[in-house]
Amino acid sequence: MTNVRPSAAAHDYERMMGMVTGFWVTQAVRAAALYNFADHLAAGTDTAEAIAEKEATDVDATRRLLRTCASLGLMTSDDGRHFTGTSLLSTLQYDDPHSLRHFAISQSAPGHWLPWGRFPEAVRSGRHQVTAAHGEANIFDYFAKHLDEAASFTESMSNLSRASALDIAAVLDTKGVTLALDIGGAGGDVIRAMMRANPELEGGVFDLPHIVPAAAEAAKAEGLDGRFTTVGGDFFASVPPADLYVLKYILHDWDDANCVRILENCRAQLVKGGRIAVVDHLVGEPGQPGLAPLMDMNMLDMTGGRERQIAEFDALFTAAGLHRVNVTPAGAFAVIETQPTP
């Protein structure tokens, strides 16, 4: 009698096969992003021959990648030669408001890719794998020596911020705020959204010196440079004074001791009556779907940081002399507002 795999087992087999081969998809998407498939198809450049000519790629390999992208739902083809992008592919367009192009490129580049190849060692040791993979103390030191990847990573953070910036700006009340600073704010998407929402708000980005020029250029392009400032520095040393600090996707990069240090430095310069707003994922109960548990693994492997539950954030705030005054959902994130404890 022929052995017939039960349907439930077959489903699990297919799911696991998809999980095991997930890195194939990652690199296929990376190539599609690097070779601008989304933008080419949107502009009517829709054959392997035409795309290969523009991108200086092998025609046969390009055709095979287009076929694979179609199997992933990124595009369709009626004749096997001409391709049309789907709405999913549009997320890889350079100027799409929900673009993930740079995120797709940076997450699969050597800076992240090689440490993730050592992920089991991160679980065994509890330590990030950037030093073992790259010989650097942390990923930010690596980026300082690989400016092309640093630029792509900065853009990838803008990709993630741009989609949620309007949600965050709608949640954070800036009435009466004189100066809001985005600490570690990269391209400044969040603070610029807040400035657009409040035409009287002065805002700025405080980040590493090689990062802030991109924020200044973006503010100038939007006509915000008259009330926008950038300061290069190290938030482990000090931050400029302000009456609202925004820390989006910052604390998850660091262990508890470093988080407390960052928060203490913000508290020390906070104008009386000001607030510190932490924007991060909140980890839910085991089994709750979402990005947070996987991002937690990314932090384990890449930075030594972690995604946290609200009680873990509260412990950080208490240690830094702060207390939580509000938590509000903003897209995939939570905006956690704090003030100094009297």
Side-chain angles (χ1 to χ4, degrees), residues 70-112:
S71 77
L72 296 171
L74 296 173
M75 55 190 69
T76 61
S77 177
D78 292 330
D79 59 7
R81 183 165 183 267
H82 297 271
F83 291 84
T84 301
T86 64
S87 60
L88 181 59
L89 183 68
S90 70
T91 62
L92 296 182
Q93 281 188 242
Y94 187 86
D95 59 355
D96 188 274
H98 298 288
S99 177
L100 287 171
R101 179 180 185 274
H102 286 285
F103 190 68
I105 292 171
S106 69
Q107 292 300 301
S108 53
H112 281 77

Side-chain angles (χ1 to χ4, degrees), residues 32 52 58 86 146 151 171 177 189 238-239 250 253 326 333:
D58 179 81
T86 64
H146 298 80
V171 164
V177 174
D189 290 274
S238 65
V239 300
I250 301 300
D253 284 332
N326 199 24
F333 299 97

Side-chain angles (χ1 to χ4, degrees), residues 11 69 119 149 165 168 179 200-201 222 226 267 297 317 334 337:
H11 176 66
C69 288
F119 179 73
E149 280 197 56
I168 295 168
L179 176 63
E200 297 182 359
L201 179 67
E222 292 185 11
R267 183 182 185 277
M297 295 297 92
F317 302 146
E337 298 177 66

